[in-house]
Amino acid sequence: MYEYDDWQGTMMLITEWSVRLLSLSDALSVPDGGFSIDPRTGADLRIGYAVAIHPEHERIFTNRVTAGDLIEYVADVADTLARPGRVLGGWRDPDSGSVYLDVSAVVSTLAEAWSLAVRYNQLAVFDLASMMSVQVATTNTV
């Protein structure tokens, strides 16, 4: 069992997460809004390209996503989020208005992100520097 002093500097407190989850749900209320955050610290990632790489964990919402929805999602995918290099991702598709929650990776180049997006049949990658999605024209058919 951890002593409070052991994890105090590395983990967010419950109250911090509550406030953070409310702001994350707000970010999903606008077209092309979203987030890519480090699940260990809650920090926003601002450099690179985010792409969902675990389609088995993708959740699509057609209604507003609440903090409760985010809590439930994080609990469901906690084991995958704990893997190295994984981030918590959320995105509102500006075309359909649907909200996607997923487990993503952040890579340094658009080419690498594009390759992963095609491999995992994703609609877009997210450019964290410009805070805009980049649509992916896949050749995959359903």
Side-chain angles (χ1 to χ4, degrees):
M1 182 154 172
Y2 290 105
E3 293 294 325
Y4 181 75
D5 290 339
D6 292 341
W7 57 266
Q8 175 182 347
T10 59
M11 298 291 290
M12 292 178 65
L13 299 175
I14 298 293
T15 53
E16 292 171 318
W17 267 113
S18 297
V19 170
R20 185 71 170 122
L21 290 171
L22 287 171
S23 71
L24 293 176
S25 66
D26 286 345
L28 296 170
S29 67
V30 296
D32 213 21
F35 53 81
S36 294
I37 65 165
D38 181 329
R40 286 154 288 289
T41 65
D44 291 301
L45 301 171
R46 300 282 185 206
I47 298 170
Y49 299 88
V51 59
I53 60 169
H54 288 279
E56 71 277 14
H57 292 309
E58 179 179 84
R59 298 276 169 34
I60 303 171
F61 295 79
T62 56
N63 297 322
R64 182 172 171 83
V65 173
T66 66
D69 294 327
L70 292 170
I71 291 167
E72 183 178 313
Y73 179 75
V74 169
D76 287 346
V77 301
D79 288 343
T80 304
L81 281 173
R83 293 172 63 182
R86 301 309 191 263
V87 300
L88 173 62
W91 174 62
R92 182 172 171 196
D93 179 1
D95 295 329
S96 70
S98 295
V99 171
Y100 294 79
L101 296 180
D102 52 52
V103 177
S104 298
V106 175
V107 295
S108 59
T109 68
L110 181 56
E112 185 179 3
W114 192 281
S115 176
L116 287 169
V118 169
R119 178 178 175 187
Y120 292 105
N121 200 29
Q122 298 301 304
L123 298 174
V125 300
F126 199 80
D127 180 344
L128 295 167
S130 71
M131 295 301 290
M132 294 179 60
S133 59
V134 178
Q135 298 297 315
V136 176
T138 64
T139 57
N140 298 348
T141 57
V142 179

